[in-house]
Amino acid sequence: MSHRPLDETLRAVRPHPAPGWDRTPRPADVDPAVLAALLRRHGWQRRGGAPGRYGRWTPPGPGAGTSLLVPESRAFPDSDDLLAEALTALTRAATPAAHEVLLGLTVPSDEIRWSRDVPDEPASWRTDDALRAAARQTLLAGALATRARTGYHGARHRRGAGALLDDVLVGTAEGGRRLTAFVPVATARPLAVRLHHALHATREAVDYQRATGATDAFDGAVEAGVSRELTEALIVLVRGTEGARIGIAWAPGAGVPEGCTASGEPVEFSPGDLPALREAGARYLREEPAVPVTVTGAVVRLRRSGPRGEGSVRLRVLGGAEVPQVRIRLDEEDYRIAGQAHLLGLPVRVRGRLESRGGFRRLAGAYGVVPVEVDDEERDRLLKSLQENLDFFEEACGGELDED
């Protein structure tokens, strides 16, 4: 049995500011307490100031630049002026710490942070790519868990999960060691909450497996959002390191979600956890059952070895299954019906079992192919799609349908 790599169809998490991220917050929109909390979170130090009125904050690192005067509240007449000056200074500062504070003010966001203990050697693109790949897979696993609680998602639920990632902004990797993602509270907090629970459940299940040798705890962890996709992400994160951590810091202005801890302590994983994570991933893959479905889809490819007999069909799924496409093996009659529906610009409906082999991209035991009537507008759209993708349509004289 073969399976596609888990990261094959990952959507790229937005690497640059999306609309809304690139505007400077207005002083009137900034809560002084939130600004102070973000400064502290990103390593700024309070060094004096008038108690009860304002604090003086200096940036992290050697050779700290200009300090900021931040009011503690809006109770004094000069509060707006101080906030305006602080925001201007942050905008002009070249440090990542200033940029991250501005991001947190512009779009209130939960912050997911990855850190890796890698050998002391010059940073390379390989370590940077490994960290980014792990972060991308972790975010996808969390987004998938908001769509369904299952041990192995495969190609399922990717559309909805991908949409949840559209507004997530990923910062700059620091030498392959640290990376932060900003998850907007308004649109994507469920992702951060589910990932919080899933990471803690994974840690507990790994500890149980290492203590007892049993993987039973991973079965119950599925309900918390643990999946093969998450275990694979953690393997990528930890591999080649002396240890790694993932922490979630909640947006200061939004509060702590119900059922989550406020401490923000990261969840740690070590190379010694890798065997348990690999075994759990294999268990999830092996035990995820086939799903009986009735799929409606547009035929985008047909192939068979001769002018008669059974053939293979690929459908672009329109409904009935949370996957973008499925491959189907049909008998001669159902294959003929599928070909006629394709030429008429009609989708078809077919029943079968969506199997984990190939990542839930194959419909086994398919039968009962029937055309589905659609309105003229939808039919025109499907026909236009066909005309724009004629290279995907191959008649029965072609070879076998590729098994990619």
Side-chain angles (χ1 to χ4, degrees), residues 33-398:
V34 171
L35 174 55
L38 288 171
L39 289 170
R40 185 177 296 106
R41 173 177 296 176
H42 292 283
W44 294 66
Q45 298 290 324
R46 178 167 178 167
R47 302 185 185 278
R53 185 163 184 174
Y54 64 83
R56 182 177 294 276
W57 294 81
T58 57
T66 305
S67 62
L68 307 178
L69 290 180
V70 178
E72 294 189 8
S73 70
R74 294 183 177 275
F76 298 93
D78 60 349
S79 297
D80 283 347
D81 292 337
L82 290 177
L83 283 172
E85 292 172 4
L87 293 174
T88 299
L90 287 170
T91 303
R92 294 174 178 173
T95 64
H99 179 62
E100 291 176 345
V101 170
L102 284 174
L103 288 178
L105 291 173
T106 302
V107 180
S109 305
D110 300 320
E111 298 176 22
I112 302 175
R113 302 169 180 170
W114 295 261
S115 61
R116 307 167 82 227
D117 299 327
V118 295
D120 291 330
E121 57 187 31
S124 70
W125 63 267
R126 290 184 180 86
T127 56
D128 187 80
D129 282 355
L131 178 56
R132 285 195 169 275
R136 186 168 60 247
Q137 293 184 43
T138 305
L139 290 170
L140 178 65
L144 288 168
T146 68
R147 308 293 298 178
R149 312 291 173 80
T150 183
Y152 175 50
H153 296 273
R156 297 180 294 172
H157 321 299
R158 298 265 172 146
R159 291 172 180 167
L164 195 60
L165 296 178
D166 279 346
D167 295 328
V168 175
L169 181 68
V170 177
T172 302
E174 300 177 28
R177 290 176 170 84
R178 286 175 294 278
L179 185 65
T180 301
F182 297 85
V183 181
V185 172
T187 57
R189 170 158 271 196
L191 185 163
V193 171
R194 184 50 48 205
L195 188 58
H196 169 88
H197 292 303
L199 289 170
H200 284 277
T202 303
R203 180 68 266 168
E204 293 173 3
V206 168
D207 290 341
Y208 183 82
Q209 193 274 346
R210 294 187 65 175
T212 67
T215 58
D216 298 354
F218 281 101
D219 293 340
V222 169
E223 188 58 30
V226 183
S227 63
R228 172 176 167 83
E229 285 75 9
L230 180 59
T231 60
E232 287 294 311
L234 294 173
I235 290 170
V236 174
L237 179 68
V238 174
R239 190 169 49 211
T241 74
E242 297 171 359
R245 291 159 297 281
I246 304 178
I248 301 178
W250 308 111
V256 179
E258 183 179 357
C260 297
T261 59
S263 66
E265 288 296 319
V267 182
E268 299 190 29
F269 296 92
S270 70
D273 298 327
L274 291 176
L277 291 170
R278 293 191 180 101
E279 187 175 352
R283 178 188 180 98
Y284 286 141
L285 186 63
R286 183 175 60 250
E287 297 189 359
E288 189 64 28
V291 182
V293 293
T294 300
V295 172
T296 300
V299 178
V300 295
R301 182 172 292 186
L302 294 130
R303 280 191 179 182
R304 61 182 175 185
S305 58
R308 296 187 179 279
E310 65 178 15
S312 298
V313 174
R314 181 176 296 174
L315 296 185
R316 177 166 57 85
V317 176
L318 304 175
E322 281 278 350
V323 293
Q325 292 189 349
V326 291
R327 297 189 299 271
I328 310 172
R329 192 77 181 173
L330 297 175
D331 62 25
E332 183 174 1
E333 179 62 18
D334 281 338
Y335 183 87
R336 181 184 62 80
I337 295 172
Q340 291 176 342
H342 180 74
L343 293 173
L344 293 172
L346 292 175
V348 297
R349 183 177 295 119
V350 58
R351 297 179 179 180
R353 299 186 315 278
L354 196 61
E355 293 194 334
S356 65
R357 180 170 181 257
F360 292 98
R361 295 176 176 87
R362 185 186 306 277
L363 199 65
Y367 68 96
V369 176
V370 294
V372 177
E373 289 294 334
V374 295
D375 57 35
D376 292 340
E377 182 178 349
E378 177 68 10
R379 180 180 297 186
D380 289 344
R381 189 185 66 79
L382 290 170
L383 285 172
K384 182 179 179 180
S385 177
L386 166 64
Q387 292 166 0
E388 293 174 348
N389 297 277
L390 285 176
D391 55 317
F392 288 111
F393 178 55
E394 301 189 39
E395 288 285 2
C397 60

